[in-house]
Amino acid sequence: MVLLFGNEQIMFDCGEAVQRQMILAKISLHKKLHVFITHMHGDHVLGLPGLLQTMALMDRKKPVDVYGPAGLGHFLECLQETLQFQLTFQVNVHEVAASGLVCDEQEYAVSAVPSNHAVTSFSFAFEEKPRPGRFHPEKAAALGVPKGEAWSRLQHGNAVPLSSGRVVKPEDVADPPRKGRKIVYSGDTRPFDGFSVFAENADVVIHEATFDDALVEKAEVDGHSTPSQAALEAKAANAKRLVLTHISARYSDVALILEQAQKVFPNTLVAHDFLELELPLSE
Amino acid sequence: MVLLFGNEQIMFDCGEAVQRQMILAKISLHKKLHVFITHMHGDHVLGLPGLLQTMALMDRKKPVDVYGPAGLGHFLECLQETLQFQLTFQVNVHEVAASGLVCDEQEYAVSAVPSNHAVTSFSFAFEEKPRPGRFHPEKAAALGVPKGEAWSRLQHGNAVPLSSGRVVKPEDVADPPRKGRKIVYSGDTRPFDGFSVFAENADVVIHEATFDDALVEKAEVDGHSTPSQAALEAKAANAKRLVLTHISARYSDVALILEQAQKVFPNTLVAHDFLELELPLSE
């Protein structure tokens, strides 16, 4: 799953042949990239070496930041040693050990919470930072703020002192800051205490639903969720939308999966390869 | 590349997501399988862990035999350790060190020859063992061989003593043994002395042609071949057919690649995903 955010890419998990899918989806292999690995199972991490090598073949220069559970660094070292590959860029490995902020960028942050799978695993939340409220030029003009740099400072949330001695604050000339968008990615997990708080008010919850409701016991044993369970998590989180993923290959038709979730949480869809969702800016 | 031979599978190299392609191609994950890895580069070996894990998920019981250069065993150990997976079947790793026979089965054998790439690499030849010639029941009857087990023994190439004291030999009642089929897989390689002898009289040579003829110097530097070079190898080997593979992603249209090879060796085609070739029994 790749989140295209401005000129940056935020990837959640990295299955085999991801570079091929990216090329088919016309997603650049040269942009700023953060990769978040939920757990060290092959179907979530085995795409990394091929992705990095393909990027090197294309002479990528920008670093790649990879986040994931303990063992991620050793995994990459092992592969680099046994496959003897050289990269043309830096890979920064950030091993995640506990709940909290794992990546803090200018316009967004990503935090983690331990989830409940067969091995150490995390769910991740991408949260866009609040964006400045709508700026009203007529208010700035009326208060005597000179056009130009002072307006720009106010638009970016900074106060501006006038030559009169008065200090004009952003709230004097702009609406309140607008809420950023929030996207939560469960990774492989059973339902767990804390997910709904972690995912609170998310615009999109991307949750696994490996097995259908009839196989709830198998899901429990294997560390997975069912559509109803995923839907209950989305509902408890007061999410706006639920996207189900990681559906077992036994379901050639996902209608049943969708139906079971929609009974609990109507605004659900089942992901498929190359599905694109656009998440409009909040007003 | 998977060779379906009777009830067995012989795979040459194992790129990412091979299990997904096999499922799409309706190739079983449960049959007897030998995998031959030409060299330890990611695009030739990174599919192995996912293939093995998918097989385990499907509760495979039959062992898998994997052949390849030194380091293959360590690679699999590394992945098994860092991804902590359990298999439901035995994996037998056979590291290939030199020229010669690497796998000898009842109906076929696979041999290796060191090729000429950027790292230690091998080409492989699959050779079907000669099959008994056509049996002539009327000759057996005329010689007084009793129908039943004695006929079967003659059909399988064994001599049969009669009660008269005469020994009937297979050549008395059957045509000469029929030549087995031969398929040679180059792996990544520059042209090299010895390939054409190794591939002599092959029914099919599967040869890499990474770059077109204009990039022959780049091919030399990177350890690859061009279409003309591959075609010259097939011609020198007196092969019946040439299949080009491992074409660089820079060629969105392979017409040029095909044309350059066909000037030298007309019976050439360029492989694509899911290409199927049938190789009829020789008469």
Side-chain angles (χ1 to χ4, degrees), chain A residues 75-86:
Chain A
F75 167 77
L76 286 173
E77 280 162 20
C78 251
L79 285 167
Q80 198 146 10
E81 180 205 333
T82 54
L83 302 181
Q84 294 175 42
F85 59 87
Q86 306 296 326

Side-chain angles (χ1 to χ4, degrees), chain A residues 15-21 40-43 45-47 49-51 53 71 74-75 78-79 81-84 119 273, chain B residues 15-21 40-42 45-47 49-51 53 71 74-75 78-79 81-84 119 273:
Chain A
E16 286 176 65
V18 67
Q19 68 277 12
R20 192 166 178 169
Q21 302 292 76
M40 294 301 295
H41 274 167
D43 52 329
V45 74
L46 269 172
L51 176 63
Q53 285 179 82
H74 179 48
F75 167 77
C78 251
L79 285 167
E81 180 205 333
T82 54
L83 302 181
Q84 294 175 42
V119 296
D273 283 7
Chain B
E16 286 177 65
V18 66
Q19 68 277 12
R20 193 167 176 169
Q21 302 293 76
M40 294 302 295
H41 275 167
V45 73
L46 270 171
L51 175 63
Q53 285 179 83
H74 180 48
F75 167 78
C78 251
L79 286 166
E81 180 205 331
T82 53
L83 302 181
Q84 293 173 41
V119 295
D273 282 8

Side-chain angles (χ1 to χ4, degrees), chain B residues 54-250:
Chain B
T54 303
M55 286 173 161
L57 205 65
M58 295 169 86
D59 206 29
R60 180 187 174 99
K61 294 299 177 203
K62 284 202 178 69
V64 172
D65 284 82
V66 190
Y67 304 76
L72 177 60
H74 180 48
F75 167 78
L76 286 173
E77 280 162 19
C78 251
L79 286 166
Q80 196 146 12
E81 180 205 331
T82 53
L83 302 181
Q84 293 173 41
F85 59 87
Q86 305 297 325
L87 298 177
T88 54
F89 55 92
Q90 180 72 28
V91 176
N92 303 313
V93 176
H94 310 263
E95 293 193 345
V96 176
S99 255
L101 198 66
V102 291
C103 166
D104 191 14
E105 295 283 320
Q106 199 175 340
E107 296 184 51
Y108 64 89
V110 177
S111 51
V113 70
S115 54
N116 183 358
H117 189 44
V119 295
T120 301
S121 61
F122 293 94
S123 297
F124 292 108
F126 166 92
E127 290 178 89
E128 187 182 20
K129 295 187 178 174
R131 290 171 303 112
R134 182 189 301 271
F135 180 70
H136 295 282
E138 74 285 1
K139 290 188 183 175
L143 290 170
V145 183
K147 218 168 171 171
E149 202 200 321
W151 283 28
S152 170
R153 289 183 52 80
L154 284 164
Q155 282 171 314
H156 286 88
N158 303 297
V160 166
L162 300 183
S163 52
S164 68
R166 171 171 182 174
V167 174
V168 177
K169 293 179 188 158
E171 55 265 37
D172 298 331
V173 295
D175 293 341
R178 287 171 282 193
K179 216 175 135 281
R181 291 162 287 187
K182 179 173 177 179
I183 299 166
V184 176
Y185 181 85
S186 73
D188 287 10
T189 188
R190 301 177 184 93
F192 64 95
D193 281 350
F195 182 83
S196 62
V197 170
F198 185 68
E200 198 171 17
N201 297 326
D203 294 276
V204 181
V205 166
I206 302 167
H207 202 290
E208 74 120 297
T210 305
F211 300 117
D212 82 283
D213 288 352
L215 298 180
V216 63
E217 284 171 30
K218 181 165 175 55
E220 169 65 24
V221 170
D222 293 356
H224 290 298
S225 298
T226 67
S228 291
Q229 290 174 331
L232 282 169
E233 292 280 37
K235 192 176 175 180
N238 188 37
K240 291 200 184 68
R241 176 184 254 185
L242 172 63
V243 179
L244 299 178
T245 185
H246 204 269
I247 316 297
S248 162
R250 72 183 63 200

Side-chain angles (χ1 to χ4, degrees), chain A residues 84-118:
Chain A
Q84 294 175 42
F85 59 87
Q86 306 296 326
L87 298 177
T88 55
F89 53 92
Q90 180 72 27
V91 176
N92 303 313
V93 176
H94 310 264
E95 292 194 345
V96 175
S99 256
L101 198 65
V102 292
C103 165
D104 191 14
E105 296 283 320
Q106 199 174 340
E107 296 185 52
Y108 65 90
V110 177
S111 51
V113 69
S115 54
N116 183 359
H117 188 44

